[in-house]
Amino acid sequence: MTKNNISNIQGDAKLPLPYRSWLDTYYMQVKIVGWIIFIVYSFIAFYKLVIDRLVNVIVVVFQGDYSLGELGMFDYSSWRVTTNFVPFETILRYINYSQYFNLDLLLINLLGNLLIFTPMGFLLPLLSKKFRKAWLIIILGFFSSLAVETVQFIFTVGSADIDDLILNTVGAWFGYIAYKCLLVIPKSNN
């Protein structure tokens, strides 16, 4: 593949010269490794957010210790306890009453929800020209998080929380900002 063909494939991503020559040499390998990393990240994130919890429930049911009813699966009578539809309620509760929560709980619930979708916002624009618009990353982050929260609500695993949706979406946007910084900051140094 010639340098002109590679430049056309890269599209509007203008990496600084030291990176550009390296990328021109190893473009396809970097692209393949990048997609593999993205797929592994996506699987791990979805596994930790949904599958792990569902597997635990299925194992307990198949061991015969509990039934789905006893575990509260598909029992929406207590949905108000496990669901939050009020924006910023959980975030403000963690901030206002932080002295009553473990630091681990605060980090996992606030920072963890913010960071879990950051790689998506960073990797997708690097890997595909289709995802180089901020609004598209924000929408993709929103609907990906909405899918996770919906599964958590339907199967009553974890807690469905609009604040998680907000933090996940902002995290995807932060990843996009990091992607833009990768392209803009080194250019200004050249």
Side-chain angles (χ1 to χ4, degrees):
M1 196 176 271
T2 66
K3 281 192 175 187
N4 288 339
N5 289 345
I6 292 171
S7 297
N8 290 338
I9 292 171
Q10 292 172 356
D12 63 348
K14 302 289 190 230
L15 290 173
L17 285 173
Y19 301 125
R20 204 175 315 153
S21 63
W22 182 82
L23 187 61
D24 288 347
T25 307
Y26 301 105
Y27 180 75
M28 288 310 289
Q29 295 91 332
V30 169
K31 193 88 159 176
I32 290 168
V33 169
W35 277 109
I36 290 170
I37 290 170
F38 180 74
I39 290 167
V40 168
Y41 147 75
S42 298
F43 177 77
I44 290 170
F46 192 71
Y47 179 82
K48 291 305 286 176
L49 293 171
V50 177
I51 297 171
D52 185 38
R53 295 170 182 176
L54 286 175
V55 167
N56 289 337
V57 169
I58 291 168
V59 166
V60 168
V61 168
F62 280 116
Q63 287 176 343
D65 297 335
Y66 298 96
S67 69
L68 288 177
E70 291 171 328
L71 289 174
M73 291 286 286
F74 307 110
D75 177 12
Y76 303 110
S77 61
S78 63
W79 68 270
R80 288 189 173 114
V81 176
T82 62
T83 307
N84 172 34
F85 292 119
V86 180
F88 304 106
E89 181 178 311
T90 305
I91 295 170
L92 290 174
R93 185 180 321 124
Y94 283 140
I95 292 170
N96 291 334
Y97 302 105
S98 61
Q99 67 271 20
Y100 300 109
F101 293 106
N102 276 343
L103 183 60
D104 294 349
L105 181 71
L106 289 172
L107 288 176
I108 289 170
N109 285 315
L110 295 180
L111 193 58
N113 277 313
L114 192 64
L115 295 178
I116 192 83
F117 280 75
T118 302
M120 178 178 55
F122 180 78
L123 289 172
L124 280 178
L126 279 176
L127 296 172
S128 177
K129 198 173 177 180
K130 296 175 190 173
F131 298 105
R132 293 192 179 149
K133 304 271 188 245
W135 65 268
L136 187 58
I137 292 297
I138 291 169
I139 288 173
L140 192 60
F142 174 82
F143 281 109
S144 298
S145 179
L146 182 62
V148 168
E149 297 300 321
T150 302
V151 169
Q152 287 180 345
F153 178 77
I154 290 171
F155 292 101
T156 58
V157 291
S159 61
D161 193 335
I162 194 163
D163 289 349
D164 292 352
L165 184 69
I166 292 166
L167 290 169
N168 295 160
T169 304
V170 170
W173 180 59
F174 282 173
Y176 181 80
I177 290 171
Y179 155 76
K180 290 302 268 187
C181 288
L182 176 76
L183 298 179
V184 173
I185 291 172
K187 268 195 222 176
S188 62
N189 293 338
N190 284 339

